[in-house]
Each structure stands twice: as structure tokens, then as C-alpha cells.
Amino acid sequence: MNEQPTVFKRIVTGHDADGKAIVIPNLPPMAMQLVGGPGGPTFFEVWHTAETPALITAQPGAPNEDSLVLAPPGKGTRIRVIEFPPEGDEIRKLTGADAQAKFKFMGNESASTSQDGAPHPLMHRTQTVDYGIVLEGEITMVLDRGETTLQAGDVVIQNGTNHAWANRSGKICRMAFVLIDGRFSPELLPEKK
């Protein structure tokens, strides 16, 4: 069962009419979404930009999205915080179809690479460069060949690799992710079926 998510502040800066830096008041709260029901991670959507270089406006408004979206906007960025509960049987026993359904819920069914014999049922791959920072707890990053455990303060740079996250610690793990839209070089393009 998921613990109550820890609340944190989102502070957005902008500019007043004189061009002086200010905190933007009264922005709607960030979106929070439990993915996959009990035992699944909680996503906190903090912010995203629609392009790079990002358009900087005097009075930025909260980005508008109706639902959880896994990837950043094309040529854009996204920052999110995810709380991973301890992994239980409900995750370990997922089928490939179950995993695809979870990624479909996040708007990217094709990210799922789950198949028989995969190192983890939630293996996935996106055309992004992701910076992941462990804020609290520990988590295991599972790759096609091997895995490594990250602890609070560790940073991972995920370069469009096939991976999954497994929380085997028995406690919540909280991570911040900055996702940057990317494209695969020709040798890394998925094989056409």
C-alpha cells in the first residue's frame, strides 16, 4: 500500500512590469498522479517547456496538459518527481500486456519493451536524455545487461537506454527527473519489424 506522498513546494519565478525578478503568485498546483493503482509510483508533474531554447516570458503560466505524459514535448523538457513505493508482487508479476497498458496510461505505449525473459516487467526506452537525482531512499536501475543501486544524492544520466526502476529497499524512494527530448543516432534506432 502506498504511503501518503510527501508534499513539496513548487516555486516559479518571472518578471514584473519593470522587468524585475519576482515569484509568480497563484499558479495552480502541480499535477499528481498515481500510476497503476496500489503499489505503483506517484508522479508529480512539476513543469515542462515546449521548445528548446525555451521561451522565457515575463509571467509564465503553468504548462497545460490534461493527463500524465511520459515524454517531454518535442524539442522541449520536462521535470517531474516520482515516488517509487517498495516493489511488490503486483509489479513483479506484470505481463507484457499489463506493462504496455501502464505505459499507454502515460501516453507512450510504444515505450514499453517488456517481453518474456526481460530483466524486469517494466523495461522501457524513450528518445530522451534524462537526468535522475535520488532525493531520498534507494532504487535499483535495471538495464539489459546488469543493474546498479542508487542512493540519496546519486545522479544518473540516462541516454535513451532500455531500463526499469526497481525499489527493493522496503521504503519509499523519491527521485527528481529532468527529461530532454532527443533523437537516436542511426546506429541506435530500433529495428523495424
Side-chain angles (χ1 to χ4, degrees), residues 14-22 58-59:
H15 300 85
D16 66 14
D18 296 322
K20 300 297 182 185
I22 60 169
Q59 295 283 313

Side-chain angles (χ1 to χ4, degrees), residues 81-177:
V81 172
I82 301 178
E83 285 189 351
F84 295 94
E87 188 172 288
D89 286 339
E90 65 275 359
I91 298 295
R92 288 189 284 270
K93 292 181 178 179
L94 288 174
T95 66
D98 294 336
Q100 281 188 330
K102 290 187 181 302
F103 284 99
K104 184 176 184 178
F105 177 80
M106 294 183 276
N108 196 345
E109 183 177 8
S110 65
S112 177
T113 59
S114 185
Q115 58 187 355
D116 287 343
H120 192 278
L122 290 176
M123 295 295 287
H124 63 285
R125 183 179 186 213
T126 57
Q127 283 195 79
T128 59
V129 174
D130 305 338
Y131 304 146
I133 304 110
V134 180
L135 302 173
E136 133 187 7
E138 76 174 43
I139 198 155
T140 301
M141 180 177 61
V142 181
L143 300 172
D144 292 326
R145 294 191 178 140
E147 54 184 54
T148 189
T149 299
L150 294 89
Q151 298 179 343
D154 290 344
V155 177
V156 62
I157 294 88
Q158 186 70 257
N159 285 297
T161 53
N162 195 36
H163 69 285
W165 300 104
N167 182 351
R168 301 170 182 155
S169 72
K171 297 179 182 174
I172 288 283
C173 175
R174 177 183 271 201
M175 289 185 73
F177 289 92

Side-chain angles (χ1 to χ4, degrees), residues 12-48:
V12 179
T13 64
H15 300 85
D16 66 14
D18 296 322
K20 300 297 182 185
I22 60 169
V23 171
I24 303 295
N26 303 321
L27 279 179
M30 69 190 132
M32 183 176 87
Q33 178 73 54
L34 175 63
V35 175
T42 301
F43 283 58
F44 299 85
E45 296 301 283
V46 180
W47 197 260
H48 74 259

